[in-house]
Amino acid sequence: MSMRSHGEACLLCACALVVCSAPAQALEVSGGVAVGGIQVGTEPRLALSPFVGWVWRKERDFRIEVHNMLSIVPGARVGIYDRTAVTLGYVTETGNVSLGPSMVIYAIPVCGVVFCDSVVGLAPGVRAQSDWFFAGRLGASVSANVDWAGGSSRFIPDSWVVMVAAWPVWRFGGEAK
């Protein structure tokens, strides 16, 4: 699947959610940039990961979230790891949790002990996220993603890719609980 096809599929899924669902009580948009290490082949590298999320709150306690994170792995040859997830979440006064399927498209240059090569593919996975607000509007967010890269690869052991990220969050608008 090409990058353009992946983008069109994500847009189609988001539009289908909007058209097929009942009117939402609230719409939220979130975004940011994460910076951290990523293990690619035998070399750890720095990754820059902009992300954006759209949340439709259907009732007081439940919500549907569409989240996209594009990790850019700089170096002599730039790599990308783009993940889109659709999750169902539960909201409380002090936070929320969400869980759902994801789809990843990746093109990453990786280097082993002897030579370098590129790994390209499409991977299904699962995403979980939790936000806790412990000081009024200030809180913390943690997400975990597990993707199955499939096939055999010298660079992705056991065909599993795991990413865990944490960052501070600030709630805008509304009442701080």
Side-chain angles (χ1 to χ4, degrees):
M1 178 180 265
S2 71
M3 289 290 287
R4 182 175 179 200
S5 297
H6 177 67
E8 290 172 355
C10 294
L11 182 60
L12 182 62
C13 289
C15 290
L17 281 173
V18 172
V19 171
C20 296
S21 62
Q25 291 181 356
L27 175 64
E28 301 172 20
V29 177
S30 64
V33 177
V35 178
I38 186 170
Q39 185 75 27
V40 178
T42 59
E43 296 180 17
R45 295 190 187 169
L46 185 67
L48 179 65
S49 303
F51 60 89
V52 64
W54 292 271
V55 175
W56 289 271
R57 185 171 289 175
K58 303 302 293 169
E59 295 178 14
R60 178 179 163 87
D61 298 335
F62 294 97
R63 68 189 205 166
I64 297 172
E65 180 177 354
V66 178
H67 188 271
N68 184 265
M69 177 180 264
L70 172 66
S71 297
I72 302 167
V73 184
R77 295 175 2 199
V78 174
I80 61 163
Y81 196 83
D82 187 33
R83 174 184 297 107
T84 300
V86 178
T87 60
L88 178 62
Y90 181 75
V91 180
T92 67
E93 289 185 11
T94 57
N96 61 67
V97 294
S98 60
L99 178 68
S102 66
M103 187 59 72
V104 176
I105 186 166
Y106 57 93
I108 302 177
V110 293
C111 294
V113 177
V114 179
F115 63 93
C116 292
D117 198 1
S118 291
V119 176
V120 178
L122 184 67
V126 66
R127 177 175 195 275
Q129 180 171 333
S130 182
D131 302 325
W132 296 287
F133 295 95
F134 49 82
R137 296 180 186 277
L138 179 63
S141 184
V142 177
S143 73
N145 303 278
V146 179
D147 305 313
W148 182 67
S152 62
S153 171
R154 290 183 287 254
F155 305 109
I156 304 175
D158 299 327
S159 301
W160 294 100
V161 177
V162 177
M163 179 183 204
V164 178
W167 58 89
V169 291
W170 180 265
R171 185 181 346 196
F172 289 97
E175 283 186 36
K177 305 279 183 193

